[in-house]
Amino acid sequence: MKKIFVVGALIICCLKAAQSQPPLPPKATRPAAPPITLKELEREAGGPTLVTLRFKDAKHQEILNELSKQGNVQVRGNFWSDEQRNKKYSIEVDKKPFWEAIAEIGDKMNLFPQQWGGQQNGIVLSPENDGSPRGATQLATPLFSIIARTISRTHTVNFKPTIEAGKTPPETPSMSLQTAILLDPKLRLLNNAAKATVTEIVDDKGKSLKADQDDIWVHGESPLQWQMQVPLKYSATMGKKIARLQGSFRAFAVARNEKWEIPDVLKAKGATKTVKIGNRDETYTLEEVVKEGDSVRIKILMKRELEIAPPSAQNTPEAQQLKYARRDWSRWMRLSDAKGNTYQGYYSGGGEDEMSFTFNSHQQYPDDPKAGEPDKLMIDIPLEFRQLEVPFTFKDLVLP
């Protein structure tokens, strides 16, 4: 009995001692990625993409081909008539940032980026478009611009009976601000991880127009042209303008990448590339290259070699960023024929250790050059991600 009592006393003493100890400080949460500013990204990229064009009496395709070459991105034209396609232009642009060059071309050639073009790795220019680069530019840097394009207001009356007999829902007004985000070709963001928040929306009467549910829609239709839609709270007594709208845009940016060039790609099955990501090696293997008609199917395997395997390697912020990035790889890949004509590619699926892509050579628009036999595959492999946060402010936006 004495032994039992002594052991019990010791346990009680230990418990009291443990209770008297101050609680351990909470572990610092590991950031998803180190932050980076636009200026730092511009410095890492070696400055913005600069364009110089000098053409006299040239067709639009010649001009767009040179623009694509200098921007290292595919710029395509979508004309509706033979008259527009055969028209000739004289263009002179001297060392202008990429989107400034696009604006000058738009003014002189009546060509504007399509808001929706299904373009995975470039942009499509079309005549008499809505001119999406135009608007109330709040933030204009060589690498990143946010433009307020429109504010729309919709009134909907639903005549479907509600649960309460004899009554119908009242008129439901809604408003939203549509913006365009224009990115330099050197700036690469992960599409699936982009978010935006708004901290304040006030009209000229001092009334808040911030929506009850801050559900901001952000999407990168192409790597160069994104859309952001901000919901607004409608009020019958609201003012005539948004006096001030403040918020921020956040995304993961590729700070460093490494090129993988694969010549004679149809015969390159088994080609490998090993890169250093953090403290580990990651090896990519070209597992499959199959040409079927106008399409080329490519499968790439991935193998990670960790110095010390963490218990949940796939759940770390770094692993999640890499997983997101694989969906964007088609934007950073270029499959071309011997003349440099490119295929249109997209991500078609995969798992933790593989990813598949499909490339097509068919002409989506009348002036698209049809790519011949696939010759070279170029891939920019992301090595480092940084978290980019860009604050934005708009003032004096007229309300509908």
Side-chain angles (χ1 to χ4, degrees), residues 367-388:
D367 299 293
D368 284 349
K370 184 176 175 61
E373 193 76 356
D375 177 60
K376 183 189 298 184
L377 178 64
M378 294 284 295
I379 306 175
D380 289 344
I381 301 174
L383 301 181
E384 180 186 357
F385 296 94
R386 303 285 294 275
Q387 187 163 273
L388 175 69

Side-chain angles (χ1 to χ4, degrees), residues 15-26:
L15 288 173
K16 287 184 176 179
Q19 290 174 355
S20 64
Q21 295 293 325
L24 294 173

Side-chain angles (χ1 to χ4, degrees), residues 77-241:
N78 179 22
F79 285 88
W80 301 108
S81 68
D82 289 337
E83 180 183 356
Q84 291 172 328
R85 282 194 289 273
N86 294 324
K87 189 175 179 180
K88 295 185 177 181
Y89 305 90
S90 293
I91 298 292
E92 190 165 334
V93 176
D94 187 29
K95 294 182 181 179
K96 292 292 182 67
F98 181 82
W99 279 103
E100 287 188 29
I102 292 287
E104 286 200 25
I105 288 175
D107 290 337
K108 295 177 181 178
M109 301 173 62
N110 193 33
L111 276 176
F112 305 100
Q114 290 186 5
Q115 184 175 358
W116 305 107
Q119 182 73 350
Q120 287 287 325
N121 53 1
I123 56 174
V124 178
L125 305 183
S126 179
E128 300 172 1
N129 199 270
D130 59 1
S132 54
R134 306 293 196 269
T137 302
Q138 176 274 330
L139 180 67
T141 69
L143 259 64
F144 185 104
S145 296
I146 300 181
I147 299 172
R149 297 183 60 243
T150 61
I151 295 178
S152 61
R153 186 174 81 187
T154 304
H155 293 259
T156 304
V157 178
N158 188 349
F159 293 104
K160 182 179 179 180
T162 60
I163 297 176
E164 189 175 352
K167 289 189 176 182
T168 57
E171 184 179 353
T172 307
S174 62
M175 289 196 310
S176 63
L177 165 69
Q178 288 79 36
T179 73
I181 302 175
L182 308 180
L183 308 181
D184 184 277
K186 291 181 179 179
L187 181 56
R188 296 173 176 182
L189 306 181
L190 297 191
N191 189 12
N192 291 333
K195 294 181 180 179
T197 57
V198 168
T199 55
E200 182 184 35
I201 310 176
V202 180
D203 68 8
D204 49 5
K205 293 182 177 180
K207 185 179 182 64
S208 175
L209 301 182
K210 192 173 182 294
D212 295 332
Q213 305 223 343
D214 196 10
D215 188 14
I216 299 175
W217 181 78
V218 179
H219 179 67
E221 173 70 6
S222 84
L224 306 183
Q225 189 175 7
W226 289 40
Q227 310 292 324
M228 181 173 69
Q229 182 170 301
V230 180
L232 305 173
K233 188 174 184 178
Y234 172 80
S235 170
T237 59
M238 65 184 181
K240 296 182 178 180
K241 291 182 179 181

